[in-house]
Amino acid sequence: MEGPCLRDLTCPFPLGPHESVMPCLLSGNAIHPTFMLQCSRKKGNAMARADKAPQERTVLVLQGGGALGAYQAGAFQHLTSEGYQPDWVAGISIGAINAALICGNPPDRRVEMLETFWHRITAALPQQPVAGFPPRQLFGQMAAATVMASGVPGFFRPRLPAAAFVPGALAGMTSFYDTNPLQTTLSELVDFDYLNEHGPRLSVGAVDVETGNFIYFDTRSTRIGPHHIMASGALPPGFPSIEVEGRQYWDGGLVSNTPLQYVMEEAEDQPLCIFQMDLFSARGKQPKSLGDVEQREKDIRYSSRTRLTTDRYRQLSELSRAAERLAARLPPEFRDDPDLAFLRRATPDCPVALVHLIHRQAKYEGAAKDYEFSRLSMVEHWAAGEGDARRTLSHEDWRARRPAEPGLHVFDLGHHSA
């Protein structure tokens, strides 16, 4: 399949004014990777690269959130088209899967593999309402119910109802679904030799079932395979724990759904440009129904205090800078005081630009949004991520920033109201 650059036609995963290509996507016709390569080559990236100082390391921080993870893929697509290839990717749950697809492929195949994965796991459900029926919200609820009953292709399949007819089977079950299909998918779409030997640094979080300790599997110290990625996304009781080196692990989101703290603690002296892609927003409206309450509770629980973490590091950054100014005014004999040195190390030594890209709830979404794997919702989430990334990188505040400026600088520019 050859043709003009997709950017000359419309956004690959359209929204709003770009709906002309939607029927092609919903039909299951995958976008040819040539489109992506042509777009990347044709689009001038000189200005974008000028915005990102060469000495900055680009880091992606990918939150967990199931079906909402297509938002991260869309955001990544735009970032990479603007020249932002990651040096380090940290992820939890679906964020770990997206991270593996990125780190386990060469730059020119990353968007293609993300697209292949998201098309595969959304292939089994009805593509879109017909003639406006069922209504959008009901369509999503029906799609989520179908997932609960039949699973998701290439991801997970139900143990029931077959297990219901085997005496004693239910008593020995520790999960409702089998995730072996995900292992097959990861082995096909991720080159783990490339990931460990040539790809960006990868860090994925999981929880030890017996100790409750939170751990990161990191290519700096561990050779990562499919089971490490699956462990990061093994959310009970839906998914079974995954064994890694003799220990059983569950989804890292049980402890922290956002790996930002790990990245900040592991930062070295080189300036960082962090794109934090959150799938649950800590901010929301007052619930007006039980359904709203369930969704709001989930948003708060899985947003993992993103704003609190950011505010904490901003305050610690100000503390460190104040300690630096104080040290400059002290007599030489006091500048090496251990307490002063402790305050100066309160945050990473490197400058940090932290960019928030946050999925905002659509009006039709309910509490099942993280397991509503319809093609229509995937397309909309992808487009939302691409749009937020595009608005961020084109925002005057971002374009006017000074890369590698000392301290922590936070940008939340992607939402429509920005």
Side-chain angles (χ1 to χ4, degrees):
M1 175 180 171
E2 298 292 341
C5 176
L6 188 60
R7 291 287 182 186
D8 293 339
L9 300 174
T10 185
C11 174
F13 290 94
L15 190 64
H18 302 296
E19 289 177 349
S20 60
V21 79
M22 185 77 81
C24 174
L25 288 170
L26 295 178
S27 69
N29 295 329
I31 299 172
H32 195 280
T34 302
F35 274 2
M36 301 301 181
L37 295 177
Q38 287 175 335
C39 295
S40 178
R41 291 167 182 161
K42 183 174 180 180
K43 191 175 183 70
N45 292 328
M47 185 175 295
R49 289 196 178 99
D51 289 347
K52 183 173 73 73
Q55 69 268 28
E56 281 186 322
R57 297 182 68 213
T58 298
V59 183
L60 306 182
V61 172
L62 308 181
Q63 192 180 77
L68 302 176
Y71 174 92
Q72 296 169 344
F76 174 77
Q77 177 187 315
H78 187 75
L79 291 177
T80 192
S81 75
E82 294 288 346
Y84 288 85
Q85 287 292 351
D87 301 292
W88 182 9
V89 187
I92 300 287
S93 198
I94 196 66
I97 295 175
N98 282 333
L101 291 164
I102 293 168
C103 296
N105 286 284
D108 61 353
R109 297 199 65 201
R110 290 169 182 169
V111 172
E112 177 192 350
M113 290 299 100
L114 284 167
E115 187 216 4
T116 299
F117 172 78
W118 284 100
H119 272 79
R120 178 175 300 182
I121 67 174
T122 58
L125 297 176
Q127 304 298 334
Q128 60 181 326
V130 178
F133 184 83
R136 186 66 183 87
Q137 187 170 22
L138 179 58
F139 173 82
Q141 293 170 351
M142 293 171 61
T146 301
V147 167
M148 292 184 67
S150 59
V152 170
F155 199 161
F156 58 89
R157 59 192 172 211
R159 300 187 188 278
L160 296 173
F165 299 99
V166 179
L170 292 178
M173 284 175 51
T174 58
S175 69
F176 293 113
Y177 299 93
D178 170 20
T179 54
N180 280 326
L182 177 59
Q183 181 178 354
T184 301
T185 297
L186 289 171
S187 297
E188 178 186 342
L189 301 183
V190 178
D191 183 340
F192 283 95
D193 288 335
Y194 178 91
L195 182 151
N196 287 286
E197 297 167 13
H198 306 290
R201 179 181 179 182
L202 173 63
S203 310
V204 297
V207 178
D208 188 301
V209 174
E210 294 183 86
T211 67
N213 291 337
F214 193 43
I215 184 174
Y216 275 92
F217 303 116
D218 194 315
T219 51
R220 279 274 181 96
S221 57
T222 303
R223 187 169 183 87
I224 287 181
H227 283 80
H228 297 89
I229 308 303
M230 294 171 67
S232 182
L235 184 64
F239 297 162
S241 61
I242 300 296
E243 182 178 346
V244 178
E245 297 180 358
R247 306 294 301 178
Q248 295 289 328
Y249 292 95
W250 273 334
D251 192 307
L254 292 174
V255 173
S256 175
N257 200 35
T258 303
L260 177 62
Q261 182 175 347
Y262 179 78
V263 168
M264 298 294 280
E265 290 176 351
E266 288 285 306
E268 298 170 345
D269 57 355
Q270 189 171 357
L272 300 181
C273 178
I274 302 174
F275 292 95
Q276 179 176 335
M277 303 181 191
D278 286 356
L279 303 180
F280 295 95
S281 176
R283 297 175 179 173
K285 296 180 180 180
Q286 176 69 29
K288 296 182 179 180
S289 67
L290 286 176
D292 290 346
V293 169
E294 186 179 4
Q295 179 173 211
R296 188 73 196 110
E297 182 272 336
K298 182 177 287 187
D299 284 344
I300 293 172
R301 175 158 43 104
Y302 287 121
S303 66
S304 290
R305 306 180 306 279
T306 293
R307 301 285 181 182
L308 179 62
T309 300
T310 302
D311 290 344
R312 172 176 174 265
Y313 275 98
R314 194 201 302 268
Q315 293 167 356
L316 289 175
S317 177
E318 293 173 354
L319 176 65
S320 293
R321 295 173 69 181
E324 291 286 351
R325 293 192 296 269
L326 177 61
R329 296 197 298 268
L330 287 175
E333 61 268 24
F334 293 110
R335 291 177 186 173
D336 294 329
D337 183 89
D339 290 336
L340 179 60
F342 177 79
L343 294 175
R344 295 169 75 176
R345 295 193 305 268
T347 53
D349 293 334
C350 62
V352 176
L354 176 60
V355 183
H356 288 302
L357 296 171
I358 304 174
H359 169 267
R360 265 78 176 190
Q361 172 189 343
K363 292 181 179 179
Y364 61 82
E365 288 181 333
K369 61 187 178 183
D370 55 332
Y371 59 92
E372 198 270 86
F373 284 90
S374 72
R375 177 66 57 79
L376 177 58
S377 293
M378 182 275 286
V379 167
E380 292 170 341
H381 295 148
W382 189 299
E386 191 276 341
D388 283 354
R390 173 171 39 81
R391 279 184 290 273
T392 294
L393 297 188
S394 63
H395 196 284
E396 59 182 6
D397 289 354
W398 178 254
R399 304 190 77 82
R401 79 182 184 101
R402 292 186 296 172
E405 184 176 6
L408 173 65
H409 305 273
V410 180
F411 300 85
D412 189 355
L413 310 171
H415 195 225
H416 285 285
S417 60

